[in-house]
Amino acid sequence: MKVAVVHGQAHKGSTYHLTQMLLDELDCNKEDVREFNINGIGQCVGCYNCILKDESLCPHRAQMAPIIEAIDQADVIIINTPNYCMGMTGQLKSFFDHMAYRWMSHRPNGNMKNKIGVAISTTAGMGASKATKDIRNQLFWWAVGKTYQIPFAVSAFSWDQIANKKKMKLTRKVKNLGWKINQKVGYVRPGVKLRLFFQMMKKMQKGLVWNIVDHDYWEKQGWI
Ligand SMILES: Cc1cc2nc3c(=O)[nH]c(=O)nc-3n(C[C@H](O)[C@H](O)[C@H](O)COP(=O)(O)O)c2cc1C
């Protein structure tokens, strides 16, 4: 299986280590895993070029393109973030903003429906599940067929501080999820909610042509 990992932070803390634990459980070779650090990507400037013209016109396309290519080739997309102030890191949010043109309401990639998405977050106390829920929501709008999450309260500010008992609990969780993913790869079918939303977007693209670029894309895919 091929895996794309988007790290929502540049440092190798608890969230990074938790992600590596999951990678160790997956049935894949090292060369099948592509990991990206998004810290160097400029902030979305709201130019609308991607949505209204062409994604190649994004001022940060050169930095985004290799990540998007890896995501498109992957069977499993892992996106992680430490919990910062009850949410994802600012740089991860900006990364997602750069992907707005790929939302179902614009120009989704048809292959996403057969992929698995994984949202990972650690927190000192509270808020990890808020962050993973937000990541899963983004993946849903990319039309990813199946998503999982690992929110985890580490009660620590660094990986080394985490109590052994907590690390053991984490190991069990990660092993369990790794097993599920290994079974599911190649067999993902989009659920009812995703199919319903896709139909709604289809109706929207057929009816109100408020963005001709999106409309033409849907036509070209043979969806309308
Ligand atoms: C800017 C910042 C904001 C944070 N906000 C929260 C918070 O709202 N709630 C919380 O429980 N922990 C919070 N934390 C703690 C981290 O979520 C926690 O230590 C996490 O495991 C760090 O992951 P990392 O080692 O991958 O960076 C915050 C840490 C930082 C640096």
Side-chain angles (χ1 to χ4, degrees), residues 9 11-17 80-87 89 121-128 152-159 161-162:
Q9 72 296 324
H11 60 275
K12 297 183 174 175
S14 304
T15 316
Y16 174 88
H17 281 95
N80 71 30
T81 182
N83 165 35
Y84 282 1
C85 306
M86 303 302 280
T89 59
S121 182
T122 69
T123 185
M126 279 170 65
F152 200 79
V154 291
S155 308
F157 296 116
S158 73
W159 179 250
Q161 275 180 1
I162 303 175

Side-chain angles (χ1 to χ4, degrees), residues 134-146:
D134 288 347
I135 294 173
R136 283 180 90 182
N137 189 42
Q138 295 287 335
L139 293 172
F140 174 79
W141 280 99
W142 292 5
V144 171
K146 176 78 189 166

Side-chain angles (χ1 to χ4, degrees), residues 97-216:
D97 295 342
H98 284 90
M99 297 292 280
Y101 76 96
R102 295 266 302 234
W103 270 41
M104 259 189 281
S105 45
H106 296 290
R107 303 191 297 280
N109 180 308
N111 295 331
M112 289 290 136
K113 66 179 188 307
N114 302 118
K115 296 185 192 288
I116 294 172
V118 185
I120 294 177
S121 182
T122 69
T123 185
M126 279 170 65
S129 50
K130 162 82 172 57
T132 52
K133 204 173 153 199
D134 288 347
I135 294 173
R136 283 180 90 182
N137 189 42
Q138 295 287 335
L139 293 172
F140 174 79
W141 280 99
W142 292 5
V144 171
K146 176 78 189 166
T147 61
Y148 297 101
Q149 61 184 356
I150 312 185
F152 200 79
V154 291
S155 308
F157 296 116
S158 73
W159 179 250
D160 296 335
Q161 275 180 1
I162 303 175
N164 276 340
K165 211 172 157 189
K166 279 224 173 261
K167 278 191 180 158
M168 278 161 66
K169 189 175 168 191
L170 194 51
T171 306
R172 283 196 296 276
K173 263 184 186 273
V174 168
K175 275 192 183 300
N176 187 21
L177 180 59
W179 184 85
K180 278 189 194 162
I181 294 171
N182 289 334
Q183 303 304 306
K184 195 80 185 167
V185 165
Y187 299 99
V188 177
R189 300 287 169 267
V192 178
K193 187 180 164 194
L194 187 56
R195 280 186 279 137
L196 192 74
F197 270 73
F198 200 84
Q199 288 307 317
M200 279 163 58
M201 297 302 116
K202 188 171 161 171
K203 269 200 174 150
M204 192 181 82
Q205 293 296 344
K206 253 186 179 172
L208 194 74
V209 184
W210 67 279
N211 180 353
I212 191 70
V213 181
D214 291 348
H215 178 83
D216 287 352

Side-chain angles (χ1 to χ4, degrees), residues 20-36:
Q20 298 305 318
M21 282 169 72
L22 180 63
L23 288 174
D24 287 343
E25 293 301 322
L26 299 183
D27 291 337
C28 58
N29 301 320
K30 265 208 157 83
E31 54 273 19
D32 292 329
V33 180
R34 293 182 66 191
E35 297 186 56
F36 297 91

